[in-house]
């Protein structure tokens, strides 16, 4: 067997604070702090506790060149090597002629290979994999304080605007001329009060999908290199963001999950759901934000990272560009919903893990970025911001 370190590993010295009552009663500080090493390896999708000795060894085992197990055991001890293999931060390879890897080692190897194949920037991979939510509910963890409550606890927020430079050098600009786009731009709002019985007409859902996520044109940039032209910009013109529809009440479309094909303009069934299951998944998707869960038409935006990272390999800005792409798409979606007289929304407060599972996506390859939605407003229409999101 030969071994190397996993492709990406961030070792974090993490501090845990506690109350030291005995020290407090003897006149010392009540605050105690303990430190431990936590390994963040994106291919594992879980944190790993590491000892000082293991951290030191990992700092001396490279992630590119395979080394015979016996050599590493000689240098670091057989037990340490076995423990790190089991933890998944060392990766094994069975050269030709040797017995194949046992299932757990083969699994780690496959996850590490998958990560390598995407061309992630290491810090971006760590940030993505360890900022996903699973099982988050507004009641059980995510707080939605009102502005009043926030001000009571934190004091007033920083002002909305900070002037830069001397006022007497500022150049006054003419008032914007009114034009046709204003009718949509100035009516856009975040809908939080969806009519729980209203259906979205199929033609409307189709227009929103095609004009937001659909290809308006296809161009060949080089032999076998095609890009899609969409109504939103995209880094490198690559449009890695895919749209998955969670249909609750769209005329003629059974409740369920679908992939939107941006060129063929078709919904590809991913999972059929009952109306109840679709509503439950919608609730889970938006981390129990009830005001969004009733939206009859939701779109999960997920970036197929290798489409972007093909060009922006191991690139410091690539992950940011994916998120910006999704933001542009969501604004276009909002505007189309507004044009149709509906409230729209976007949220990043989502349970990515449950969505990945429902859609059958591997988070190393497909980044669930945001959930958008829209629908006709119920009575009372406009509901103001409830969260600090
Ligand atoms: C990236 C992003 C994330 C958001 N997340 C949430 C959210 O989790 N919950 C929510 O109620 N609104 C969310 N919103 C909507 C904002 O709260 C809303 O845009 C803001 O209050 C301004 O209101 P308006 O969109 O009606 O102008 C989000 C908006 C953006 C752009």
């Amino acid at each position: 067997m030969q071994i190397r370190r996993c492709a990406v590993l961030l070792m974090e010295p993490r501090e845990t604070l506690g109350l030291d009552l005995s020290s407090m009663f003897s006149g010392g500080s009540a605050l105690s702090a303990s430190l431990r090493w936590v390994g963040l390896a994106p291919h594992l999708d879980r944190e790993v506790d590491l000892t000082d000795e293991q951290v030191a060894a990992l700092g001396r085992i490279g992630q590119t060149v395979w080394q015979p197990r016996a050599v590493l055991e000689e240098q670091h001890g057989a037990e340490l090597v076995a423990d790190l293999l089991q933890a998944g931060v060392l990766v094994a390879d069975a050269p030709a002629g040797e017995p194949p890897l046992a299932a757990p080692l083969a699994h780690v190897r496959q996850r590490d290979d998958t990560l390598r194949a995407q061309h992630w920037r290491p810090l971006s991979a760590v940030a993505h994999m360890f900022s996903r939510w699973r099982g988050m509910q507004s009641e059980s963890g995510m707080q939605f304080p009102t502005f009043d409550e926030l001000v009571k606890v934190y004091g007033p927020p920083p002002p909305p605007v900070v002037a830069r430079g001397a006022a007497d050098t500022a150049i006054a600009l003419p008032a914007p001329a009114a034009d046709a786009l204003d009718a949509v731009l100035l009516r856009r709002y975040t809908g939080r009060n969806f009519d729980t019985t209203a259906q979205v007409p199929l033609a409307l859902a189709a227009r929103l999908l095609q004009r937001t996520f659909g290809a308006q044109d296809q161009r060949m940039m080089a032999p076998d290199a095609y890009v899609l032209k969409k109504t939103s910009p995209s880094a490198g013109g690559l449009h890695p963001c895919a749209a998955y529809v969670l249909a609750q009440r769209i005329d003629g479309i059974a409740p369920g999950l679908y992939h939107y094909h941006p060129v063929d303009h078709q919904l590809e069934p991913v999972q059929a759901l009952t109306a109840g299951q679709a509503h439950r998944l919608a609730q889970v998707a938006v981390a129990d934000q009830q005001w969004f869960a009733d939206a009859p038409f939701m779109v999960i935006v997920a970036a197929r990272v290798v489409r972007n990272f093909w060009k922006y390999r191991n690139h410091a800005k690539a992950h940011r560009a994916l998120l910006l792409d999704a933001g542009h798409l969501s604004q276009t979606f909002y505007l189309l919903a507004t044009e149709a007289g509906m409230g729209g929304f976007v949220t990043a407060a989502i349970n990515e893990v449950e969505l990945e599972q429902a859609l059958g996506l591997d988070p190393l390859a497909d980044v669930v970025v945001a959930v958008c939605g829209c629908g006709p407003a119920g009575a009372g229409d406009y509901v103001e911001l409830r969260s600090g999101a």
Side-chain angles (χ1 to χ4, degrees):
M1 180 189 291
Q2 45 185 13
I3 292 173
R4 65 185 179 189
R5 182 157 44 80
C6 58
V8 179
L9 173 64
L10 183 81
M11 294 188 279
E12 177 196 347
R14 187 173 299 170
E15 192 174 59
T16 309
L17 295 178
L19 271 184
D20 185 344
L21 293 178
S22 60
S23 164
M24 187 173 81
F25 289 129
S26 58
S29 164
L31 207 56
S32 69
S34 60
L35 274 174
R36 67 192 169 100
W37 283 107
V38 176
L40 302 170
H43 72 296
L44 294 178
D45 196 15
R46 62 183 156 76
E47 299 181 352
V48 177
D49 278 318
L50 297 169
T51 65
D52 290 354
E53 197 192 8
Q54 290 171 336
V55 169
L58 286 162
R60 281 182 280 131
I61 303 173
Q63 78 259 36
T64 308
V65 178
W66 295 104
Q67 298 189 63
R69 180 172 190 159
V71 171
L72 290 181
E73 288 181 343
E74 174 87 26
Q75 288 169 355
H76 306 288
E79 196 184 330
L80 183 143
V81 170
D83 287 348
L84 292 182
L85 273 175
Q86 200 194 353
V89 289
L90 288 184
V91 182
D93 175 60
E98 286 191 17
L101 298 174
L105 294 185
H107 176 71
V108 168
R109 172 68 190 277
Q110 183 263 323
R111 298 305 293 152
D112 189 58
D113 283 349
T114 301
L115 174 63
R116 287 171 192 259
Q118 313 303 315
H119 313 295
W120 277 96
R121 182 84 169 177
L123 275 180
S124 301
V126 172
H128 160 55
M129 290 300 285
F130 291 96
S131 61
R132 288 146 61 240
W133 281 351
R134 76 189 80 198
M136 182 65 85
Q137 291 179 291
S138 42
E139 293 97 34
S140 66
M142 191 176 45
Q143 301 297 314
F144 288 103
T146 62
F147 263 79
D148 271 347
E149 288 163 347
L150 285 170
V151 170
K152 270 191 200 119
V153 180
Y154 300 138
V161 179
V162 176
R164 307 279 180 192
D168 58 356
T169 59
I171 302 159
L173 298 172
D179 80 1
L181 196 54
D182 282 0
V184 175
L185 281 176
L186 302 179
R187 275 191 296 130
R188 186 211 58 82
Y189 72 100
T190 296
R192 296 193 182 83
N193 191 20
F194 295 104
D195 180 334
T196 54
T197 56
Q199 297 272 133
V200 173
L202 181 59
L204 188 51
R207 173 170 163 79
L208 257 79
L209 286 170
Q210 211 287 328
R211 290 294 190 251
T212 307
F213 301 102
Q216 308 306 320
D217 192 10
Q218 261 191 89
R219 292 180 191 161
M220 195 174 84
M221 310 300 284
D224 293 327
Y226 290 91
V227 297
L228 305 181
K229 173 77 180 161
K230 298 194 184 180
T231 54
S232 295
S234 171
L238 292 162
H239 282 294
C241 286
Y244 295 87
V245 172
L246 172 50
Q248 290 201 63
R249 296 181 309 284
I250 302 175
D251 283 341
I253 303 290
L257 276 172
Y258 301 83
H259 172 251
Y260 175 66
H261 193 299
V263 175
D264 295 347
H265 186 47
Q266 289 178 341
L267 286 180
E268 301 167 331
V270 173
Q271 200 185 133
L273 300 168
T274 63
Q277 288 170 331
H279 189 254
R280 181 67 207 127
L281 182 59
Q283 278 182 313
V284 170
V286 296
D288 222 17
Q289 300 184 69
Q290 305 299 341
W291 49 95
F292 290 157
D294 289 328
F297 174 24
M298 281 192 190
V299 179
I300 299 141
V301 182
R304 194 162 44 96
V305 300
V306 78
R307 170 78 183 164
N308 175 292
F309 298 173
W310 165 80
K311 176 175 178 184
Y312 300 111
R313 283 175 192 229
N314 191 18
H315 197 294
K317 305 295 176 182
H319 183 242
R320 185 186 306 197
L322 299 179
L323 307 184
L324 285 167
D325 273 18
H328 287 101
L329 292 165
S330 77
Q331 170 71 354
T332 305
F333 185 86
Y334 256 92
L335 293 180
L336 284 155
T338 306
E339 181 199 42
M342 298 189 294
F345 74 84
V346 64
T347 175
I350 57 177
N351 279 309
E352 291 91 343
V353 175
E354 284 82 350
L355 287 171
E356 291 154 7
Q357 286 164 358
L359 294 166
L361 299 178
D362 179 342
L364 292 175
D366 291 274
V367 171
V368 174
V369 183
V371 173
C372 308
C374 67
D381 199 337
Y382 187 85
V383 179
E384 271 289 357
L385 177 73
R386 294 188 210 192
S387 79

